Amino acid sequence: MRLATFQPQLGVHCETTTLRNMLHQAGVDISEAMLFGLGQGIDFQYWDAPDPGRGTPMLTGRIEPALLSRNACAALGAELRESRSPDSESASAAAARLLDAGHVVGVSVDIFHLDYFKSRSHFAAHYIALYGLDDSLAHVVDTDQQGGAQTLPAESLRRARASDEGFMPSPHLHLYIERLPARLATDTDAVLREQVWNAIRLTAERMAEDRGPRFGIRAMRRAAAEITGWSDTLISADELVPDVGRFWRFAGTGGANFRKLYHEFLQEARQRCGDSELDSYVEDFDDVQRQWDQAIDMLMAYPGADGRQRLQAVAARLDAIADAEQAIFEGLLVSATKRAGESA
């Protein structure tokens, strides 16, 4: 079974790309950046290394997998369905039934088993949009970086879906859009305008809150404090430190990529709402994105002439980013709360 009328929608991040394809097939076209913003996707999270000294912590720039899709669909009034099958056979059967019913199916996979993926590491919190499946082949949409629309052996997809290795595995999980509210399809712009400020408020409220050493601005400051010592605490610092920079830049999970998406969301929100209140935040977030890129450049250039000094510079940049993001989200919270009061 392969959806005959399906048109792949491309994107830079796996879950928002998958969600965009599911929604487009259901009948509404919404940008990836808007979905990221409505999904309250931005964050900073610190996950301890499973083997300290031999690996770095997982430092991610977004909220937990699937939560973004739930948030965005709740804002849009779209009925998102999630299900986990008990085994590979039933997972494939469930996907085939949904395809027969005309749905694009979002599936959680381990990239290690995807034939077209260059990385040979296990990462199980990756999402792809499935739009065709038979006994031998699967047709999916991945990110732009991974080539967009791809065809791979059905057995590779089964292994990728079944994997319980890597970061945050969700074996045999699938998502799909059951239905859309009629108004979302007929008056998309109005629905988006109505939801933008509430999504900003909820995001800013969370980011401005102290949620402990693993989440948000405080987690960013924790990472900054620890990065300086990586040259002494990591057994293979010359290899691991640049890997963090490459992961942030190319894997999509941290750093500038998500800041770029949120900057684009604020730009689109400004355009749709015609609200000059957002102008300064758009400009400030553009600067935040540049600072993330600079921090990543320094990590990727490690060790250089003085590795420890370079890491001190990275730490200083992360502290500056934390200051900037805290000021932005505190300001956005004030603005969004005011807008909510005006519309009440």
Side-chain angles (χ1 to χ4, degrees), residues 279-305:
D279 286 347
S280 62
Y281 301 116
V282 170
E283 184 176 341
D284 290 344
F285 232 89
D286 185 41
D287 184 60
V288 162
Q289 179 190 327
R290 284 196 297 269
Q291 290 193 64
W292 271 107
D293 275 324
Q294 291 164 359
I296 291 169
D297 287 342
M298 287 188 280
L299 286 170
M300 292 176 66
Y302 184 89

Side-chain angles (χ1 to χ4, degrees), residues 3-332:
L3 295 174
T5 60
F6 176 72
Q7 297 177 323
Q9 306 298 302
L10 303 183
V12 298
H13 169 57
C14 64
E15 188 175 341
T16 41
T17 297
T18 297
L19 179 58
R20 188 179 182 211
N21 277 276
M22 292 192 297
L23 286 166
H24 189 270
Q25 179 67 14
V28 64
D29 186 16
I30 301 173
S31 75
E32 181 181 16
M34 180 57 64
L35 291 173
F36 185 76
L38 293 181
Q40 308 161 44
I42 197 167
D43 202 356
F44 189 88
Q45 299 191 356
Y46 184 112
W47 300 90
D48 292 315
D51 190 1
R54 297 184 180 276
T56 58
M58 174 74 78
L59 305 173
T60 72
R62 55 151 292 168
I63 59 176
E64 293 86 342
L67 180 57
L68 191 162
S69 295
R70 294 182 201 122
N71 290 342
C73 287
L76 295 168
E79 294 186 27
L80 178 72
R81 296 286 183 259
E82 302 178 48
S83 181
R84 192 189 301 271
S85 301
D87 53 52
S88 292
E89 183 176 350
S90 56
S92 295
R97 286 194 299 271
L98 290 170
L99 289 167
D100 283 339
H103 299 288
V104 168
V105 186
V107 295
S108 175
V109 294
D110 180 353
I111 64 173
F112 180 84
H113 299 287
L114 300 177
D115 288 24
Y116 57 85
F117 230 93
K118 294 179 181 178
S119 174
R120 300 320 303 153
S121 59
H122 287 281
F123 182 81
H126 189 68
Y127 283 80
I128 53 178
L130 177 67
Y131 68 95
L133 181 67
D134 58 33
D135 290 339
S136 60
L137 295 175
H139 305 280
V140 303
V141 181
D142 209 314
T143 61
D144 276 342
Q145 184 180 321
Q146 301 306 325
Q150 294 279 2
T151 298
L152 71 158
E155 179 56 35
S156 295
L157 179 63
R158 282 191 285 271
R159 290 197 303 270
R161 294 192 65 187
S163 176
D164 61 0
E165 299 183 73
F167 183 67
M168 288 189 173
S170 298
H172 307 308
L173 175 69
H174 66 256
L175 318 171
Y176 69 99
I177 303 297
E178 176 71 41
R179 63 175 58 86
L180 303 179
R183 184 165 174 259
L184 179 60
T186 59
D187 201 357
T188 307
D189 287 346
V191 174
L192 297 181
R193 286 195 301 271
E194 291 164 6
Q195 294 300 321
V196 156
W197 274 112
N198 188 52
I200 291 173
R201 180 185 63 81
L202 292 170
T203 301
E205 196 172 61
R206 173 172 46 80
M207 289 297 289
E209 180 185 1
D210 184 346
R211 291 175 286 145
R214 285 186 48 226
F215 301 100
I217 304 299
R218 187 172 165 190
M220 197 181 301
R221 298 192 192 283
R222 175 186 177 187
E226 294 182 3
I227 278 175
T228 301
W230 280 0
S231 56
D232 301 321
T233 59
L234 293 175
I235 294 173
S236 303
D238 290 1
E239 176 183 346
L240 292 173
V241 172
D243 278 350
V244 173
R246 283 188 286 270
F247 182 74
W248 278 357
R249 175 153 291 161
F250 301 117
T253 299
N257 290 339
F258 289 128
R259 272 56 192 171
K260 182 175 186 293
L261 269 178
Y262 203 75
H263 176 235
E264 291 174 357
F265 162 68
L266 291 176
Q267 285 180 308
E268 185 174 342
R270 168 65 176 94
Q271 181 181 14
R272 287 186 181 277
C273 296
D275 195 333
S276 61
E277 183 93 5
L278 287 167
D279 286 347
S280 62
Y281 301 116
V282 170
E283 184 176 341
D284 290 344
F285 232 89
D286 185 41
D287 184 60
V288 162
Q289 179 190 327
R290 284 196 297 269
Q291 290 193 64
W292 271 107
D293 275 324
Q294 291 164 359
I296 291 169
D297 287 342
M298 287 188 280
L299 286 170
M300 292 176 66
Y302 184 89
D306 188 337
R308 185 174 181 82
Q309 185 175 349
R310 188 178 297 276
L311 291 178
Q312 288 173 342
V314 173
R317 185 54 51 91
L318 285 180
D319 272 327
I321 292 170
D323 289 341
E325 291 198 12
Q326 183 165 357
I328 290 169
F329 284 112
E330 286 176 352
L332 280 170

